[in-house]
Amino acid sequence: MSSDASSLKDAKSLHKTSVSDEVVIRFDGVTKTYNLYKNDRGRFLGIFNYKKKGSFLGSVDASKNLSFEIRKGEAVAFLGRNGAGKSTALKMVTGVTHPTSGEVSVSGRVSALLELTAGFDMQLTGRENIALRGQILGLSRAEIKELEPGVVDFAELGLYIDQPMRTYSSGMKARLGFAFAVAIDPDILVVDEALSVGDRTFQRKCIERIREIMMDENVTVLFVTHASATAKEFCSRGIVLDQGTKVFDGPIDDATAYYEANY
């Protein structure tokens, strides 16, 4: 999340003095398989389960028989090298993708700081996109109206908030995405350590907001990382993934020690 991520280090002591027995996320034998194709035509035909010879390259399991439970109020780091399956697992938590087999159950409103600009309509204004995202989440018009001023204020887009998003820079789009994600008072917060939004002043503002959310004992935090030191700064538990498989699950110090010894 940039070098400023070190400012999150106090969150471990501030976040979660106790953890509920309530399970809010459960993976039960989850496998996610991606079919690989040579070109767009092959991918299109694959939608209809037609695998044309020479176009279909094979299948890859991004998650393999993955099972775990996460309780309300936990702060859990997902550790693993690039391609280990961390992002795929958390995309299933957020509902961006779905398992090929097995079951994923999630209880509560999820806010994901992963792909901040996903789901925006570039033809709509920033303000209209706030309403669109709110509707997708099932918020009422009254809830969206109440939410909007805070999102607009946090994003710091000025007059651009009423301009089509096709006129935004990539940084402006990400700022609006972040502002919305942290404004909805999530039950479950998913954070990618690589997140970098705007200039350094705005990044510090983002980090402080994440820290505030983490301090809420009712919020469950999932943190995606491949850096042991960052995970130990504020997570109490670690799940180590390798090629889509869970290879370790336990207290964060033990998890990071396992990760460092084996990867």
Short mmCIF file of all heavy atoms in Angstrom, two decimals, residues 41-74:
data_model
loop_
_atom_site.label_atom_id
_atom_site.label_comp_id
_atom_site.label_asym_id
_atom_site.label_seq_id
_atom_site.Cartn_x
_atom_site.Cartn_y
_atom_site.Cartn_z
N ARG A 41 -12.36 -15.37 -29.55
CA ARG A 41 -13.36 -16.25 -30.14
C ARG A 41 -13.50 -17.53 -29.31
O ARG A 41 -14.60 -18.00 -29.03
CB ARG A 41 -12.99 -16.59 -31.58
CG ARG A 41 -13.94 -17.60 -32.24
CD ARG A 41 -13.52 -17.87 -33.68
NE ARG A 41 -14.30 -18.96 -34.25
CZ ARG A 41 -15.53 -18.86 -34.70
NH1 ARG A 41 -16.15 -17.68 -34.67
NH2 ARG A 41 -16.17 -19.90 -35.21
N GLY A 42 -12.36 -18.06 -28.91
CA GLY A 42 -12.39 -19.26 -28.08
C GLY A 42 -13.06 -19.02 -26.74
O GLY A 42 -13.83 -19.85 -26.26
N ARG A 43 -12.78 -17.86 -26.13
CA ARG A 43 -13.40 -17.52 -24.86
C ARG A 43 -14.91 -17.37 -25.01
O ARG A 43 -15.68 -17.78 -24.14
CB ARG A 43 -12.79 -16.22 -24.30
CG ARG A 43 -11.47 -16.45 -23.58
CD ARG A 43 -10.97 -15.17 -22.93
NE ARG A 43 -10.40 -14.27 -23.92
CZ ARG A 43 -9.15 -14.33 -24.37
NH1 ARG A 43 -8.34 -15.28 -23.92
NH2 ARG A 43 -8.71 -13.47 -25.26
N PHE A 44 -15.34 -16.78 -26.14
CA PHE A 44 -16.77 -16.64 -26.39
C PHE A 44 -17.44 -18.00 -26.53
O PHE A 44 -18.49 -18.26 -25.92
CB PHE A 44 -17.00 -15.81 -27.65
CG PHE A 44 -18.45 -15.69 -28.04
CD1 PHE A 44 -19.31 -14.86 -27.34
CD2 PHE A 44 -18.95 -16.43 -29.11
CE1 PHE A 44 -20.64 -14.76 -27.68
CE2 PHE A 44 -20.28 -16.34 -29.46
CZ PHE A 44 -21.13 -15.49 -28.74
N LEU A 45 -16.84 -18.89 -27.29
CA LEU A 45 -17.41 -20.22 -27.46
C LEU A 45 -17.41 -20.99 -26.15
O LEU A 45 -18.28 -21.82 -25.89
CB LEU A 45 -16.63 -21.00 -28.53
CG LEU A 45 -16.74 -20.45 -29.96
CD1 LEU A 45 -15.80 -21.21 -30.89
CD2 LEU A 45 -18.18 -20.55 -30.46
N GLY A 46 -16.42 -20.67 -25.30
CA GLY A 46 -16.34 -21.34 -24.00
C GLY A 46 -17.53 -21.04 -23.11
O GLY A 46 -17.87 -21.83 -22.22
N ILE A 47 -18.17 -19.89 -23.33
CA ILE A 47 -19.37 -19.55 -22.56
C ILE A 47 -20.43 -20.62 -22.75
O ILE A 47 -21.21 -20.94 -21.84
CB ILE A 47 -19.91 -18.17 -23.01
CG1 ILE A 47 -18.90 -17.08 -22.67
CG2 ILE A 47 -21.26 -17.87 -22.33
CD1 ILE A 47 -19.29 -15.71 -23.20
N PHE A 48 -20.46 -21.21 -23.96
CA PHE A 48 -21.45 -22.24 -24.29
C PHE A 48 -20.87 -23.64 -24.13
O PHE A 48 -21.40 -24.61 -24.66
CB PHE A 48 -21.93 -22.03 -25.74
CG PHE A 48 -22.45 -20.65 -25.99
CD1 PHE A 48 -21.65 -19.68 -26.60
CD2 PHE A 48 -23.72 -20.28 -25.57
CE1 PHE A 48 -22.12 -18.39 -26.81
CE2 PHE A 48 -24.19 -18.99 -25.77
CZ PHE A 48 -23.40 -18.04 -26.40
N ASN A 49 -19.74 -23.70 -23.36
CA ASN A 49 -19.09 -24.97 -23.05
C ASN A 49 -18.58 -25.67 -24.30
O ASN A 49 -18.49 -26.90 -24.35
CB ASN A 49 -20.03 -25.89 -22.27
CG ASN A 49 -19.27 -26.91 -21.44
OD1 ASN A 49 -18.18 -26.64 -20.95
ND2 ASN A 49 -19.84 -28.10 -21.28
N TYR A 50 -18.26 -24.90 -25.33
CA TYR A 50 -17.71 -25.45 -26.56
C TYR A 50 -16.21 -25.16 -26.58
O TYR A 50 -15.79 -24.01 -26.56
CB TYR A 50 -18.38 -24.84 -27.79
CG TYR A 50 -17.79 -25.32 -29.10
CD1 TYR A 50 -17.99 -26.63 -29.54
CD2 TYR A 50 -17.02 -24.47 -29.89
CE1 TYR A 50 -17.45 -27.08 -30.73
CE2 TYR A 50 -16.48 -24.91 -31.10
CZ TYR A 50 -16.69 -26.21 -31.51
OH TYR A 50 -16.16 -26.65 -32.69
N LYS A 51 -15.41 -26.22 -26.60
CA LYS A 51 -13.96 -26.07 -26.55
C LYS A 51 -13.37 -26.48 -27.89
O LYS A 51 -13.10 -27.65 -28.16
CB LYS A 51 -13.38 -26.91 -25.42
CG LYS A 51 -13.91 -26.50 -24.05
CD LYS A 51 -13.43 -27.42 -22.94
CE LYS A 51 -14.01 -26.99 -21.60
NZ LYS A 51 -13.61 -27.91 -20.50
N LYS A 52 -13.22 -25.49 -28.77
CA LYS A 52 -12.72 -25.73 -30.11
C LYS A 52 -11.26 -26.16 -30.06
O LYS A 52 -10.43 -25.57 -29.39
CB LYS A 52 -12.87 -24.46 -30.95
CG LYS A 52 -12.46 -24.65 -32.40
CD LYS A 52 -12.68 -23.36 -33.18
CE LYS A 52 -12.24 -23.53 -34.63
NZ LYS A 52 -12.43 -22.28 -35.40
N LYS A 53 -10.95 -27.23 -30.81
CA LYS A 53 -9.59 -27.73 -30.85
C LYS A 53 -8.64 -26.66 -31.37
O LYS A 53 -8.92 -26.00 -32.37
CB LYS A 53 -9.53 -28.97 -31.75
CG LYS A 53 -8.16 -29.65 -31.74
CD LYS A 53 -8.18 -30.91 -32.58
CE LYS A 53 -6.82 -31.60 -32.57
NZ LYS A 53 -6.80 -32.83 -33.39
N GLY A 54 -7.54 -26.45 -30.69
CA GLY A 54 -6.57 -25.45 -31.09
C GLY A 54 -6.81 -24.11 -30.42
O GLY A 54 -5.90 -23.28 -30.35
N SER A 55 -8.04 -23.89 -29.93
CA SER A 55 -8.37 -22.63 -29.26
C SER A 55 -8.34 -22.80 -27.74
O SER A 55 -7.93 -21.91 -27.02
CB SER A 55 -9.73 -22.14 -29.71
OG SER A 55 -10.07 -20.95 -29.04
N PHE A 56 -8.80 -23.97 -27.28
CA PHE A 56 -8.81 -24.25 -25.84
C PHE A 56 -7.43 -24.73 -25.41
O PHE A 56 -6.91 -25.72 -25.92
CB PHE A 56 -9.87 -25.31 -25.52
CG PHE A 56 -9.91 -25.73 -24.08
CD1 PHE A 56 -10.28 -24.83 -23.09
CD2 PHE A 56 -9.54 -27.02 -23.72
CE1 PHE A 56 -10.31 -25.21 -21.75
CE2 PHE A 56 -9.59 -27.41 -22.38
CZ PHE A 56 -9.97 -26.50 -21.41
N LEU A 57 -6.81 -24.01 -24.47
CA LEU A 57 -5.44 -24.30 -24.05
C LEU A 57 -5.36 -25.17 -22.80
O LEU A 57 -4.31 -25.72 -22.50
CB LEU A 57 -4.68 -22.99 -23.81
CG LEU A 57 -4.61 -22.03 -25.00
CD1 LEU A 57 -3.86 -20.77 -24.60
CD2 LEU A 57 -3.94 -22.70 -26.19
N GLY A 58 -6.45 -25.27 -22.06
CA GLY A 58 -6.44 -26.07 -20.84
C GLY A 58 -7.09 -25.33 -19.68
O GLY A 58 -7.66 -24.25 -19.85
N SER A 59 -7.02 -25.91 -18.48
CA SER A 59 -7.66 -25.35 -17.29
C SER A 59 -6.65 -25.17 -16.16
O SER A 59 -5.68 -25.93 -16.05
CB SER A 59 -8.80 -26.25 -16.81
OG SER A 59 -9.78 -26.40 -17.81
N VAL A 60 -6.91 -24.17 -15.34
CA VAL A 60 -6.06 -23.90 -14.17
C VAL A 60 -6.96 -23.74 -12.95
O VAL A 60 -7.96 -23.03 -13.00
CB VAL A 60 -5.23 -22.62 -14.36
CG1 VAL A 60 -4.47 -22.28 -13.08
CG2 VAL A 60 -4.27 -22.77 -15.53
N ASP A 61 -6.60 -24.42 -11.86
CA ASP A 61 -7.33 -24.28 -10.61
C ASP A 61 -6.69 -23.16 -9.79
O ASP A 61 -5.59 -23.32 -9.27
CB ASP A 61 -7.31 -25.58 -9.80
CG ASP A 61 -8.17 -26.67 -10.42
OD1 ASP A 61 -9.13 -26.32 -11.13
OD2 ASP A 61 -7.87 -27.85 -10.20
N ALA A 62 -7.38 -22.03 -9.69
CA ALA A 62 -6.86 -20.91 -8.90
C ALA A 62 -7.08 -21.16 -7.42
O ALA A 62 -6.35 -20.63 -6.58
CB ALA A 62 -7.54 -19.62 -9.32
N SER A 63 -8.12 -21.93 -7.09
CA SER A 63 -8.38 -22.38 -5.72
C SER A 63 -8.66 -23.87 -5.78
O SER A 63 -9.36 -24.34 -6.69
CB SER A 63 -9.58 -21.66 -5.10
OG SER A 63 -9.33 -20.27 -4.97
N LYS A 64 -8.13 -24.62 -4.80
CA LYS A 64 -8.28 -26.07 -4.82
C LYS A 64 -8.77 -26.57 -3.46
O LYS A 64 -8.07 -26.48 -2.46
CB LYS A 64 -6.95 -26.75 -5.14
CG LYS A 64 -6.34 -26.39 -6.47
CD LYS A 64 -4.99 -27.08 -6.65
CE LYS A 64 -4.30 -26.64 -7.93
NZ LYS A 64 -2.96 -27.26 -8.06
N ASN A 65 -9.99 -27.05 -3.43
CA ASN A 65 -10.55 -27.66 -2.22
C ASN A 65 -10.26 -26.82 -0.98
O ASN A 65 -9.81 -27.31 0.05
CB ASN A 65 -10.00 -29.08 -2.04
CG ASN A 65 -10.81 -29.88 -1.03
OD1 ASN A 65 -12.02 -29.68 -0.87
ND2 ASN A 65 -10.15 -30.78 -0.33
N LEU A 66 -10.56 -25.54 -1.08
CA LEU A 66 -10.21 -24.57 -0.04
C LEU A 66 -11.31 -24.52 1.02
O LEU A 66 -12.48 -24.30 0.71
CB LEU A 66 -10.03 -23.21 -0.68
CG LEU A 66 -9.38 -22.08 0.11
CD1 LEU A 66 -7.99 -22.50 0.58
CD2 LEU A 66 -9.28 -20.83 -0.76
N SER A 67 -10.93 -24.72 2.29
CA SER A 67 -11.89 -24.68 3.39
C SER A 67 -11.33 -23.87 4.56
O SER A 67 -10.17 -24.06 4.95
CB SER A 67 -12.22 -26.09 3.87
OG SER A 67 -12.86 -26.85 2.87
N PHE A 68 -12.12 -22.96 5.09
CA PHE A 68 -11.76 -22.22 6.30
C PHE A 68 -12.99 -21.47 6.79
O PHE A 68 -13.96 -21.27 6.05
CB PHE A 68 -10.59 -21.24 6.06
CG PHE A 68 -10.83 -20.22 4.98
CD1 PHE A 68 -11.55 -19.06 5.24
CD2 PHE A 68 -10.32 -20.40 3.70
CE1 PHE A 68 -11.76 -18.10 4.25
CE2 PHE A 68 -10.53 -19.46 2.71
CZ PHE A 68 -11.25 -18.32 2.98
N GLU A 69 -12.93 -21.04 8.04
CA GLU A 69 -13.98 -20.21 8.63
C GLU A 69 -13.34 -18.97 9.23
O GLU A 69 -12.25 -19.03 9.81
CB GLU A 69 -14.74 -20.97 9.72
CG GLU A 69 -15.56 -22.13 9.20
CD GLU A 69 -16.34 -22.82 10.33
OE1 GLU A 69 -16.02 -22.54 11.52
OE2 GLU A 69 -17.24 -23.62 10.03
N ILE A 70 -14.02 -17.83 9.10
CA ILE A 70 -13.55 -16.58 9.70
C ILE A 70 -14.69 -16.00 10.54
O ILE A 70 -15.82 -15.90 10.08
CB ILE A 70 -13.11 -15.57 8.62
CG1 ILE A 70 -11.89 -16.13 7.88
CG2 ILE A 70 -12.79 -14.22 9.24
CD1 ILE A 70 -11.42 -15.27 6.74
N ARG A 71 -14.36 -15.64 11.77
CA ARG A 71 -15.37 -15.16 12.70
C ARG A 71 -15.45 -13.64 12.73
O ARG A 71 -14.50 -12.96 12.37
CB ARG A 71 -15.09 -15.71 14.10
CG ARG A 71 -15.37 -17.20 14.20
CD ARG A 71 -14.92 -17.82 15.50
NE ARG A 71 -15.45 -19.17 15.63
CZ ARG A 71 -14.99 -20.22 14.96
NH1 ARG A 71 -13.98 -20.08 14.13
NH2 ARG A 71 -15.53 -21.41 15.13
N LYS A 72 -16.59 -13.18 13.15
CA LYS A 72 -16.84 -11.74 13.22
C LYS A 72 -15.80 -11.07 14.10
O LYS A 72 -15.55 -11.49 15.23
CB LYS A 72 -18.24 -11.49 13.78
CG LYS A 72 -18.65 -10.03 13.84
CD LYS A 72 -20.08 -9.92 14.34
CE LYS A 72 -20.54 -8.48 14.39
NZ LYS A 72 -21.95 -8.37 14.87
N GLY A 73 -15.17 -10.02 13.58
CA GLY A 73 -14.19 -9.27 14.35
C GLY A 73 -12.76 -9.70 14.16
O GLY A 73 -11.85 -9.04 14.66
N GLU A 74 -12.51 -10.78 13.43
CA GLU A 74 -11.13 -11.21 13.19
C GLU A 74 -10.43 -10.30 12.19
O GLU A 74 -11.07 -9.71 11.30
CB GLU A 74 -11.09 -12.65 12.66
CG GLU A 74 -11.27 -13.71 13.71
CD GLU A 74 -10.87 -15.09 13.21
OE1 GLU A 74 -11.67 -15.71 12.49
OE2 GLU A 74 -9.76 -15.54 13.57
#
